[in-house]
Amino acid sequence: MKPIEKVKVQEMLDGFTDKPVYIHLETTNGAYASHFDNVGVNVGAYIRNAQVTFTNAVIKGDISYRVGLKTELGWIYAEGVTDWEIYRDKDLLLAGHDLEGRLMVALQISEQPFK
Amino acid sequence: MDNQTHVVIVYPHPDDESFGGAGIIKKFRQEGVPVTYLCGTLGEMGRNMGTPTFANRETLADIRKEELKDACEYLDIDYQYLGYRDKTIEFEKQEEVANHIKEVLETLQPSLVVTHYPEHGVHPDHNALGAATIEAVRLMDKADRPTVWASAITNDFEKVLGEPDIVYSIEDDFEYKLNAILKHKSQAEGMFEKMQDTSGEHQVFVDGLKNRLGKERFFTWKFED
Ligand SMILES: [Zn+2]
């Protein structure tokens, strides 16, 4: 992946509005957080291949970014996004990594279900 | 420990075999005993993406498949995937997973099965797959059951479970185990970087690893019925 290019990501987000898309949304501090790092609790959540349609999608921030997707009835939101990549020609992968390159958050959008 | 005819290792992630079993694997392979790794998942939800990152959430599965292939070539063992998704094994119906594993074991006919000690595996997949594997063996006819070794990796397992009865040291040949682990580049490259460090830090780091991974310890599972 490469560091966020805000304008290009915004263009991609705009291309996904007003049509059914599949979302992968994830956040994690790792399954070993309480074992090695002594941070107390393993925290994470993930949704894979939720189908939604959003009317509005925006990337905000600098260095680390926030992405909000407004759906008909609610919101999808990710914070701490640092990198992006176009996968399989048209899927948008967004992720946030810590200083050691470990994934902390991921938000991915595709017109096809993820594998 | 001796006189095995086929050893089957059942762990959930590509790299568990090297972290948890490179030492015993080497010993068994040197004796000519076949070893098969039943790998539960592709580790596709892993958090490590390489240092610096070269994988992403979608490519990680294929990358880890390649890494496991390399590791198993190095360890000179066979492997098969059980086809579960990383981080979800504990949500599957245990009975289904156990029956699935039982079928595979009946085909492979191991004399020894190695898996994680349920509730002492730290990672939920370790605990769930360990429990399902032990259940799979329990479901077999008593006479046909292979021996089961369970590995506990919680920080306090000795306090709770006592001393493991099987202890195998790979400290004299630790490099061998490190090389197996390092086949899993996406997961171990952070480690790899520290290995290259030529300052005093290097030895401290290796000694720490040796301490943690130099002995492979297992409890022989005792079935109640
Ligand atoms: Zn594992």
Side-chain angles (χ1 to χ4, degrees), chain B residues 17 30 45 49 58 68 82 116-117 124 140 154 178 194 209 213:
Chain B
E17 82 298 335
Q30 276 177 342
M45 289 298 289
M49 296 293 173
E58 298 309 309
L68 184 64
L82 293 170
H116 283 111
Y117 200 113
M140 293 175 182
T154 40
L178 271 184
K194 288 182 193 152
L209 278 181
L213 303 170

Side-chain angles (χ1 to χ4, degrees), chain A residues 1 24 26 28-32 35-36 46 48 85 87 93 97-98 100-103 108 114-115, chain B residues 45 47-51 53 55-59 62 85 87-88 122-124 126 153-155 212:
Chain A
M1 301 185 88
H24 172 99
E26 168 190 359
T28 179
N29 66 350
Y32 296 95
H35 185 64
F36 285 133
Y46 107 75
R48 191 161 177 88
E85 179 175 330
Y87 179 66
L93 308 189
H97 299 97
D98 67 14
E100 287 164 57
R102 293 176 299 195
L103 187 128
Q108 305 179 168
F114 291 99
K115 206 164 60 174
Chain B
M45 289 298 289
R47 194 165 63 119
N48 292 311
M49 296 293 173
T51 322
T53 59
N56 64 49
R57 177 53 76 236
E58 298 309 309
T59 59
D62 284 341
R85 179 173 281 268
K87 285 181 117 170
T88 66
V122 178
H123 191 299
H126 295 179
I153 54 177
T154 40
N155 291 326
R212 214 153 51 75

